[in-house]
Structures are given as C-alpha cells and as structure tokens.
Amino acid sequence: MRLLQILLLLCLLLPLLFFGRVGEKLSNHRPVAGPEWSWADWWSGDFQAGAARRLNEQFGARNTLVRWNNQKEYSIFNHPTARDVVIGKNDYLFEDTYLEAATGGNYQGISHFDELGGRLNRVRDSLAEMNVDLLVVMAAGKGTYFPEYHPEPYASRPPARTNEEEFLRVLREQNIDFLDLNNWFRRLKSTTPHPLFPKLGIHWSKYGQYLVMDSLINYLEASRQIDMPDLVLDSLEISAEQRGSEADIYRGMNLPGEPVGYPLAYPHWRVEHPEKTQPKVLVIGDSFYWNMYLHQGFSDKFFDSGDFWYYFNRVMRGGQDAGPASELDLRYELAKYDLVILWETESHYHRLSNGFLKAALKAFATPADPAVVQRELLEIVEEIRAKPEWLAYMKEKATARNQPLDTVIWREARYVLDRRE
C-alpha cells in the first residue's frame, strides 16, 4: 500500500520535475509571466495567485496535453476549442463572421450603408482636391465561396439581404471606383485549374493571391494609363503541404497533428523592369492585404514603398511597425500619395476602413496646422533643389524677374502646396 502511495505521489509530482518544458508553443497564446515579489503582494495574496497562474502555465508537457485535449474535442465531439471557428461539412473550416456575412446574419440595413456611401463620397471628393484617387477593393471571402460546405444552422437559412449587396449598391450610386474580387472569385470557381481557397484556412490560397496581384496591376495600368513593373510567373509548385496561411484556422486550433488538406498551387514569381512606373499607393485594410504586404513585399515592389495601415490601427512602413495610426497627421500623410486603396473582405464590408473615413473627414474639416504647412513647404523646397531641371527653371525665373533665387523657390513651393490643397 505504501509503495502505491509513493508511486501516486511521484505521478503527481512528475509535471513539476519537468517544470518549464511545456512542449511546442501554442498559437495565439501568450504565457503568463512570473509574479514580481513584494511584501505588499505577499500579504494581499496577489503574489500567490500569480505564482499559481505561472505554475499552471509551465508544468511539464502542458502544451502537449492541451493539444491532445483539443484533438479529443475535435475528433469525438466535433467541437473546435478555438474562438470563432466553425467546422463545416466535410471538415471544411470557417470563421463564424464569414458565415454570418454570407447568409445575411450580420446584415446592417439600408440606412447604415447609405451613411457609409455618403462618407465615401465626401472622402473621395476631398482626396481628389489633392490629386489623390480612391479605390475600394472587395476582397474575396470563404463564406460566399463555399456555400456547399456551410454547416447548420447556416445551411438552412432562407435567402436574405446581405451587406455585400448593400455595399455594391452604394458604391455604384456614389460612383466610387471599386474592384469586386469576391464576385470574381465565385465566377472563377468552376474554371480555375487550382483552388482559390484552402480547406483549413480562412484566407485565399497563394495561387488565388497571385491572381489578385496580377489583376490589380493590370487594372491600375489600364485605369491610370501607366506601365508598371512586370509580375512574371516562373512556375507553379503543386503540393499537399499546407503552408502558412493555407491552414491558419487549423493551426489556431492547436491540434497535435500536421494539417491535411487537398493539394494547392504555390506560385514562384519575380519582378521584371522594376524601373517602370510605380504609383505611390497607400493601402488601408485587413489581413487579406497583410499577407501581400509583409510576405510578398507587394507595396515595395509595385506601389513605390507606400504604407499599409493595418485595420487603420497600426502603420506598417518598410515592412516594420511604425506606430499607431491614431497619431498620424492625415492631411499631411494622404497628400503624399497618388492613390488610396480601402481593402476589405466580406466579413468587414459594413465597417469599411475601421474608422478611417470618419477620421479623414474630421481631418479635412480642420484648418491646416501652421507647423504642418511649414513642414510641407520645406519638403517641397528640398524637392525643387534636388531636381536639376526644376532648379534650373527657378534660376531662369529669378534672373528674368530680378529676384533672389530663394524667394522664387519659396513662392513656387507655396504654389505647389496650394494646388495640392
């Protein structure tokens, strides 16, 4: 009996003997930090509570056991332990917001989109006064792409009005330039030689992403009458390995095995003639552009290294987080660009740009800060001095008018800035 008690005690203490060896890191999980010692926390009990949380996070094989438990819930009870995940027919994985959007479950109504359309119209006109264009890109969504794999209760919902329909209505009524990639993907579905969406991820496949990049370049070349750098496809690698975002939902479920899905096409491409025209483009959008920006370097290669404002929350510049978007001087920043793209997928159509439209309208209605005006003038002056042809023209003007060169340059800068505003 005593031997059995000792063995039981050893089993209970075994996880502590391997403290800190928790196993492979879990997705979307930040381990609890250890508590900092202080007499105040000790007497209040906060230190003990923190230590208990830390112990629960760091006992031996903890993450491995979490994965096994998640697999049990998934395999036996068809229950995903990850937030917002829905298991569809044939084990296709979705996020609930995409299914709600596809079936009209999150429909916001006519007045909501009329108001959104009015904001778009005013922002488009304000940008046009600065010689900046506006384009809305409707990224494709898995919910509308795979209706045949909707689980209940989504599969049996009667046809209903959706945010996508209202969004398209106001875009047309307000004459806003837009690219409807969602409808385009649905039309391609029956003819595409390779899957445009994976089974286990929420984002489009790498092949679908490549088609989007190529089509966007073609659209901008035609609409702006320019010749951009060439996106050249070298080869397509077909593999059943679910790489990166192709299994982002599955990996977020923290299961023990590797994802198993159908074969996908992985494009290998390069850029030719990078010296060709690159419009200066700002993209404000969601994770469907994040992959193109961070992993493909699309803005650096085709958009003259324009910023990406992720959900109008973080400013991504040069592939790095440059700080919160809330600290931007919008009038100053927007004037730098040739084109602003609002990039949103179907689950977010009703909250396009995540607050950017309201913030932009507020900025346009606010008189320009004198310090900002001075900064902009200095940048234009520096630009004039850095361009030999422009500087030579200023020297001719100064000679013809018998005026100091600096005076002529500053007046030119003021003229250029006024035209922008």
Side-chain angles (χ1 to χ4, degrees), residues 46-67:
D46 289 343
F47 177 84
Q48 295 89 327
R53 288 193 296 271
R54 176 67 172 170
L55 180 62
N56 183 59
E57 288 271 345
Q58 295 296 318
F59 66 80
R62 189 256 185 191
N63 291 357
T64 302
L65 294 173
V66 167
R67 292 180 187 278

Side-chain angles (χ1 to χ4, degrees), residues 392-405 408:
Y393 178 59
M394 292 296 97
K395 289 178 179 178
E396 291 178 8
K397 266 191 173 183
T399 301
R401 296 178 181 179
N402 196 26
Q403 294 176 338
L405 177 60
V408 175

Side-chain angles (χ1 to χ4, degrees), residues 78-99:
N78 201 40
H79 171 66
T81 51
R83 188 181 65 180
D84 303 331
V85 173
V86 177
I87 302 172
K89 296 174 182 177
N90 294 354
D91 289 331
Y92 275 68
L93 299 180
F94 297 88
E95 289 182 0
D96 57 1
T97 53
Y98 291 82
L99 294 171

